Amino acid sequence: MKVLSTIAEITAYTAELKKAGKTIGLVPTMGALHEGHLTLMRAARAANDVVIASVFVNPIQFGPNEDYDKYPRMFEADCAKLESVNVDAVFHPDPAEMYPQGFCTYVNVDGDFTRKLCGASRPGHFRGVATVVTRLMNLSRADRAYFGQKDAQQVCVIKRFVNDLNIPVEVVMVPINREDSGLARSSRNAYLSDTEKQQALCLSRSLRKAEAAFAGGEKNVAALLKIVRDELAAEPAADVEYVELYDFPTLEPIETVEKESLMAMAVRIGKTRLIDNIIIG
Ligand code: PAF
């Protein structure tokens, strides 16, 4: 697997690939890779000639009081995992390479839907994501880019700017990968103690309850939200930031579930903020 650290290196690499007519799949990550990321890599592997992963903890998508400094970094272990699923190259730049002196151009998706759910408590987060993902798409010259459903609002934002800016990349959303317990895989699960991991099961448990109620015929949004909120309230360690149910992918408010809709939540367990979701309908 090639390790590319500079913009010059990735640009030269992808220019050669394009000259040779290869299709390229991009999987952007912030590292601390788990099985969920590897599912994205496998999806990219199955549909493209070449797979490029990026491992970059993007400073501009973290707020001043968030976990940028303590975000887990383990590049060697990440490389071993990427090699195990036959990734061809990893782009792993320094922050100074991506944001040199004078950098001042941002991609800002300005729809109301960016200000709800995680956008409400993380101002500037999606601007940081959209800016880095645009640049990774440009640098990798990807035909397809892969993102996990766990960050469903991120997928909505990415699909929006790819469409609005006519970026010729197919955005592929891959379903959430869960531990046997139901816990959605996340690099931030590394912050949880064993007790907290047990407490965190209330997220997926509450979503499963709503899913079962929907399968049983309940389509009313208020009723479905109540089922989830009641289940979360039964776990004293759960500090709920939001639970919402919106149309997917517009994130417009709805009263009944008539088509694909996103039930999404952010919940703090101890000091760790976790997100989870399901798509129903
Ligand atoms: O989902 C993530 O890990 C990040 O937001 C992404 C897409 C790699 C951009 O930094």
Side-chain angles (χ1 to χ4, degrees):
M1 184 176 68
K2 276 193 189 314
V3 177
L4 310 165
S5 312
T6 64
I7 286 173
E9 279 167 7
I10 187 169
T11 304
Y13 178 65
T14 54
E16 282 303 311
L17 294 174
K18 281 288 131 183
K19 221 188 283 169
K22 304 283 187 201
T23 58
I24 300 175
L26 167 71
V27 188
T29 82
M30 299 205 299
L33 301 179
H34 50 68
E35 194 52 36
H37 294 112
L38 300 189
T39 313
L40 301 180
M41 306 294 163
R42 289 190 194 100
R45 181 73 282 162
N48 301 277
D49 296 327
V50 174
V51 178
I52 302 178
S54 62
V55 171
F56 179 61
V57 185
N58 176 34
I60 67 164
Q61 70 184 73
F62 289 79
N65 298 317
E66 293 185 359
D67 56 347
Y68 175 68
D69 287 333
K70 75 164 190 168
Y71 198 84
R73 289 161 173 88
M74 45 186 79
F75 185 59
E76 274 182 26
D78 287 344
C79 283
K81 289 180 186 165
L82 293 174
E83 282 184 326
S84 78
V85 288
N86 298 319
V87 166
D88 297 289
V90 58
F91 180 49
H92 181 54
D94 274 346
E97 178 74 11
M98 289 299 277
Y99 300 108
Q101 200 84 41
F103 181 93
C104 59
T105 304
Y106 297 88
V107 176
N108 189 32
V109 180
D110 199 26
D112 277 346
F113 75 96
T114 66
R115 288 181 275 274
K116 23 180 101 154
L117 304 176
C118 290
S121 63
R122 304 189 72 188
H125 169 67
F126 288 121
R127 183 178 92 138
V129 170
T131 302
V132 81
V133 171
T134 302
R135 297 175 67 206
L136 293 169
M137 286 176 169
N138 287 340
L139 289 168
S140 66
R141 302 183 65 175
D143 296 279
R144 299 182 190 84
Y146 296 79
F147 301 91
Q149 183 194 318
K150 193 168 82 64
D151 296 301
Q153 188 178 15
Q154 169 170 281
V155 176
C156 299
V157 168
I158 291 169
K159 285 197 167 185
R160 188 72 239 178
F161 78 72
V162 162
N163 184 72
D164 288 353
L165 300 180
N166 312 110
I167 298 177
V169 176
E170 183 190 339
V171 176
V172 181
M173 182 175 83
V174 177
I176 297 182
N177 189 287
R178 295 182 183 279
E179 295 185 6
D180 290 343
S181 65
L183 184 66
R185 287 190 208 270
S186 164
S187 303
R188 290 190 170 96
N189 291 351
Y191 301 148
L192 299 171
S193 68
D194 287 346
T195 310
E196 288 173 333
K197 263 194 150 184
Q198 284 305 312
Q199 295 164 336
L201 297 183
C202 64
L203 282 82
S204 54
R205 192 168 58 237
S206 66
L207 291 170
R208 278 201 308 275
K209 275 205 157 177
E211 199 166 34
F214 178 74
E218 183 60 82
K219 288 188 171 183
N220 182 273
V221 166
L224 290 165
L225 286 172
K226 183 169 178 341
I227 291 168
V228 173
R229 290 188 179 128
D230 286 352
E231 186 65 32
L232 292 172
E235 171 51 69
D239 178 9
V240 178
E241 181 183 305
Y242 68 75
V243 183
E244 302 289 353
L245 178 50
Y246 291 127
D247 176 75
F248 183 80
T250 65
L251 304 185
E252 291 287 337
I254 48 171
E255 281 176 16
T256 54
V257 177
E258 303 295 349
K259 59 172 281 290
E260 272 202 339
S261 306
L262 175 73
M263 167 87 83
M265 61 175 61
V267 177
R268 261 174 220 282
I269 302 287
K271 289 200 168 92
T272 307
R273 181 179 179 278
L274 299 173
I275 57 172
D276 200 350
N277 69 72
I278 48 166
I279 293 176
I280 52 177

